[in-house]
Amino acid sequence: MTDAVQQIDLHAGTVHGQQGAIMPAHWRDFWALTKPGVIRLVVFTGLCGLLAAPGTIHPVIGFVAILCIAMGAGGAAALNQYHESDLDALMKRTANRPIPAGRMDREAALQFGLALSGFSVVIMGLAVNWLAAGILAFSIFYYAVIYTVWLKPNTAQNIVIGGGAGAFPPVIGWAAVTGDVTMLPILLFSIIFFWTPPHFWALALFVKMDYARVGIPMMPNVAGEKSTRHQVFGYSLVLLATTLAPFALGLVGWTYGISALLLTGFFVLLAARVGFRVAGEGDTLKPEKQLFAYSIVYLFMIFTALVIDRAVVPVIAA
Amino acid sequence: MTDRPTPDFNDPEVLAQLRARQRSRALFMAGILIALCVMFYVITIVKIGVWG
């Protein structure tokens, strides 16, 4: 290990993150607490909502709006990890997070999460507008309380309803520019909302033992693999209809329409492969892994197509 | 249970690592505060319309 601090175990006294670390946490652990990988997607969809909105926003204020969305998402992620530290310690995928690994005190994570969340909402309200700040505050509450505390441990529909938490950023970005919420941002919300179940259940199909071990009622463990696979396919069809709706309603042009058809059509094909197969013992679950990987790329591409259609094509045409 | 031995803070090496950790956190916090000051300043300038 290159970090001298790690050469001597300075995080002693921690049992699955419950007793708290003796050393003050490294700033890199606070960074890890914000789930930077998730923030990347949140920032991107928020930025796309902002760019797709009609009207203009000063670049500095636009930057602040995106920064606030990122800080809010980071704060919510910290609160999520504060609440789930005991479960995280039991799952291979999450055991090395700062709290379960014993590198950070739970209280420090709580304070950091609350401060970051509160700060993001107040700055958004003061610098941008209070509608965007209100939606941001609700999205943090939705993720940290409704999803993490209530839905996730209690229902197999946790991902379906909880998907709303990750769907707010484009709405916030839009509201930052226009100060209101119209049909298109609601459809953008719906795209992420209906994208979430096939995305997460593809993951859950190949890490279901992790979830089963800690008693989280993920769909494959509750309804069984067959039902989950059918639902993955079913939601992909709903996603297809949702992504085509902006074009059908005349809110976007051909660039988006054709892109949405091709990108989501491929998504449905991958989902069909997952939806109608039976995985035996020793199966490498390649189709599930491919769907999960493509679903991430897909979201980036569909929102890129939207921005090109709404912000780039009109400029070129003019 | 994953109990680990408590570090000896009388050990100069451990103490030096503790100080290094505190220093890096302090510098990081200073960076954040300076960035916030600059951001608030720029937001204010934009809001009062100096840059249109």
Side-chain angles (χ1 to χ4, degrees):
Chain A
M1 287 182 223
T2 54
D3 188 350
V5 175
Q6 289 175 304
Q7 288 168 7
I8 298 171
D9 191 351
L10 295 171
H11 310 300
T14 300
V15 179
H16 294 322
Q18 296 304 299
Q19 293 181 8
I22 287 176
M23 281 287 283
H26 198 283
W27 66 264
R28 288 193 196 95
D29 289 321
F30 284 101
W31 174 249
L33 206 62
T34 62
K35 298 188 183 173
V38 176
I39 286 187
R40 234 171 279 149
L41 205 59
V42 165
V43 163
F44 179 75
T45 55
L47 180 64
C48 288
L50 187 140
L51 293 173
T56 55
I57 186 170
H58 193 287
V60 170
I61 303 300
F63 172 78
V64 171
I66 297 302
L67 186 67
C68 288
I69 292 173
M71 287 199 302
L79 295 174
N80 167 275
Q81 289 188 55
Y82 159 78
H83 183 75
E84 294 187 339
S85 60
D86 50 347
L87 298 179
D88 283 347
L90 302 174
M91 295 198 288
K92 201 170 133 191
R93 189 172 61 87
T94 53
N96 197 35
R97 285 177 175 173
I99 307 174
R103 298 193 303 273
M104 182 184 286
D105 196 303
R106 279 186 86 223
E107 292 307 311
L110 175 65
Q111 290 157 5
F112 178 68
L114 288 174
L116 207 55
S117 303
F119 211 60
S120 65
V121 172
V122 171
I123 295 178
M124 181 75 98
L126 293 173
V128 185
N129 65 57
W130 286 102
L131 176 68
I135 303 170
L136 178 64
F138 182 70
S139 70
I140 295 168
F141 176 77
Y142 197 108
Y143 183 69
V145 179
I146 297 178
Y147 171 69
T148 302
V149 178
W150 181 44
L151 292 170
K152 195 170 175 182
N154 292 314
T155 169
Q157 296 296 325
N158 49 20
I159 287 305
V160 180
I161 312 168
F168 282 108
V171 185
I172 300 169
W174 182 286
V177 178
T178 64
D180 63 7
V181 176
T182 54
M183 181 56 84
L184 188 55
I186 292 171
L187 287 170
L188 299 182
F189 175 95
S190 306
I191 289 171
I192 301 177
F193 187 83
F194 290 117
W195 163 87
T196 307
H199 165 75
F200 261 104
W201 286 337
L203 170 73
L205 281 167
F206 59 84
V207 294
K208 66 176 180 179
M209 291 315 293
D210 253 4
Y211 287 118
R213 197 178 308 125
V214 296
I216 292 175
M218 274 294 178
M219 193 59 80
N221 305 319
V222 177
E225 256 198 56
K226 193 179 172 189
S227 169
T228 306
R229 290 175 181 282
H230 289 166
Q231 291 192 59
V232 164
F233 179 64
Y235 272 103
S236 73
L237 293 178
V238 179
L239 179 66
L240 179 65
T242 311
T243 50
L244 293 178
F247 178 70
L249 293 172
L251 300 171
V252 292
W254 284 98
T255 308
Y256 171 86
I258 293 169
S259 306
L261 185 63
L262 294 175
L263 291 169
T264 319
F266 190 58
F267 191 103
V268 172
L269 278 178
L270 290 180
R273 268 202 327 166
V274 170
F276 299 105
R277 75 188 285 267
V278 179
E281 281 293 317
D283 195 305
T284 57
L285 299 171
K286 200 175 168 190
E288 290 76 8
K289 289 173 183 170
Q290 282 177 340
L291 175 62
F292 179 72
Y294 176 71
S295 66
I296 297 169
V297 177
Y298 166 82
L299 203 64
F300 276 106
M301 290 174 77
I302 197 93
F303 273 85
T304 302
L306 173 86
V307 171
I308 291 171
D309 187 282
R310 297 267 309 176
V312 180
V313 171
V315 173
I316 295 169
Chain B
M1 300 286 274
T2 56
D3 277 312
R4 286 170 280 187
T6 304
D8 176 13
F9 287 107
N10 291 319
D11 182 337
E13 197 182 341
V14 174
L15 201 60
Q17 289 175 12
L18 174 66
R19 294 280 176 260
R21 175 71 60 91
Q22 288 172 329
R23 191 166 51 246
S24 76
R25 278 171 58 117
L27 285 171
F28 185 70
M29 188 56 78
I32 295 273
L33 289 173
I34 290 168
L36 279 174
C37 288
V38 172
M39 189 176 81
F40 286 139
Y41 175 77
V42 175
I43 290 171
T44 306
I45 295 294
V46 169
K47 284 279 180 187
I48 61 176
V50 174
W51 289 345

